[in-house]
Each structure stands twice: as structure tokens, then as C-alpha cells.
Amino acid sequence: MTTSSDACSTIVRLNIVCRARTRILNTPGCGTGGKEFCTTVDTLTHREPHSMLAAMFSGRYTVCKESEKVRICIDRDGKHFRHILNWLRDGVAPIPNLSDLERVELLREAEYYQLLGLVDLINEFLNKKDAQTDADLTRTDIIKCVQYADGGRVRLKGANLSGLDLSKLVSFITS
């Protein structure tokens, strides 16, 4: 990687290792374990220029590489790294298609790699999902709670009742 144009076209093989640190330190090179991903330095540095990956490959820091192969080992679980790379390539992540657990795991990885755009996208989706959950409470739900309340007391701690017409609910309760 001698010139900046060479750096943009250099192929980098990333080996995301998911083993215990002690075994990695005792393992020579990156040849065993983990998942291998192949991408360009441009992909790692362009979309999120202030990320950890961009910093690693910007030339500001010395990155230990295997000779000739330009192979970098990152001690992280590689399960979601394909989503990370697709985000860096296209600005797209399959957040709606992931389970809640996978979203949290992807968020953790995005935070680790300091991919602020992806972090914001995931948090925006999670906040929108929470808002939809809050908005699902209807007048009918409130009436059912009152009807089946044990001892006539209803506690709706943390419930969002904004936007519900509960004006005639008092007459229902007293009858």
C-alpha cells in the first residue's frame, strides 16, 4: 500500500476470530478459527470515516498483518460482520428482518466498530418499534382492564393513554 490509489483498491482479508483470547495468543497467525471476510480498504474507510475500521486502515495506525496476504485478525464474533460490511458498502442493513436478539447483537457490534450511522439506524428502528407498541393500547383495552380488574382497582403504570377518548369511561365504571 504505497500510494493512496493503491490503498483504495487493496483487498483486505479480515479473519473475525471467535475463540478465547488465551488460545488466540498461543495460536501462530490467523489461519485457524473464526470467519474470513474479503473486502477493500475503500469499503472499510469511505462510508464511516470516523469508525474504528476506518482508523485501522487509514494509515494512522500500524496494523499487524501476515506477510503478503494482508490478512487482519479481529477478535470479535463474526456472526453479524456480513451486515457490517453490507452497511459499509451500500448503507443498507436488514434490521426489520432480524430478531430482537439479533438486533441487539448487531447494535453491540456497530457500537464496538463505532459505526455511528448504523447505530443511529438501529436505534431509530427500536424507538419506532417501542412507539408502535405504546400506541397499540385502545379504549377497548382499557374497558376490558376495568371489567376484569380484581377488586375494582386498575393500575396502568407506564401506559400511554394519550390520544384515547376516555370521556365516557367514568359512566361505564360507575354503572
Side-chain angles (χ1 to χ4, degrees):
M1 298 194 296
T2 55
T3 67
S4 61
S5 63
D6 289 341
C8 290
S9 62
T10 299
I11 300 293
V12 178
R13 294 189 190 284
L14 297 169
N15 193 26
I16 310 300
V17 180
C18 46
R19 294 176 168 224
R21 287 185 194 274
T22 53
R23 284 197 68 191
I24 291 170
L25 294 175
N26 295 332
T27 303
C30 296
T32 59
K35 295 182 179 184
E36 188 169 285
F37 297 88
C38 196
T39 189
T40 63
V41 170
D42 188 50
T43 296
L44 297 171
T45 58
H46 182 68
R47 181 169 304 280
E48 298 261 3
H50 301 293
S51 70
M52 184 189 94
L53 292 169
M56 284 175 66
F57 296 98
S58 67
R60 290 182 281 177
Y61 302 101
T62 303
V63 178
C64 181
K65 299 179 239 177
E66 287 185 11
S67 61
E68 311 173 5
K69 295 181 183 178
V70 191
R71 178 176 284 173
I72 308 296
C73 295
I74 301 174
D75 185 15
R76 296 295 289 179
D77 186 346
K79 178 180 179 182
H80 298 292
F81 198 74
R82 68 185 180 99
H83 299 312
I84 299 285
L85 283 179
N86 287 334
W87 165 257
L88 291 171
R89 288 181 186 120
D90 308 323
V92 177
I95 298 164
N97 301 335
L98 299 175
S99 70
D100 290 340
L101 175 62
E102 290 171 325
R103 281 186 206 107
V104 170
E105 291 171 346
L106 181 59
L107 178 62
R108 188 179 312 121
E109 292 302 298
E111 288 171 341
Y112 175 81
Y113 292 114
Q114 300 169 7
L115 302 169
L116 302 181
L118 183 55
V119 168
D120 290 345
L121 186 69
I122 297 168
N123 282 328
E124 183 180 308
F125 180 86
L126 293 174
N127 291 337
K128 198 179 291 184
K129 185 178 175 196
D130 288 344
Q132 288 173 345
T133 303
D134 290 343
D136 289 340
L137 192 60
T138 64
R139 185 175 193 278
T140 305
D141 295 331
I142 300 298
I143 291 171
K144 286 179 183 176
C145 286
V146 171
Q147 282 177 333
Y148 301 111
D150 186 31
R153 290 186 70 179
V154 177
R155 292 182 186 227
L156 299 171
K157 187 176 182 178
N160 181 6
L161 302 178
S162 63
L164 294 178
D165 180 14
L166 302 176
S167 59
K168 296 181 183 175
L169 191 58
V170 174
S171 62
F172 173 79
I173 294 172
T174 57
S175 57

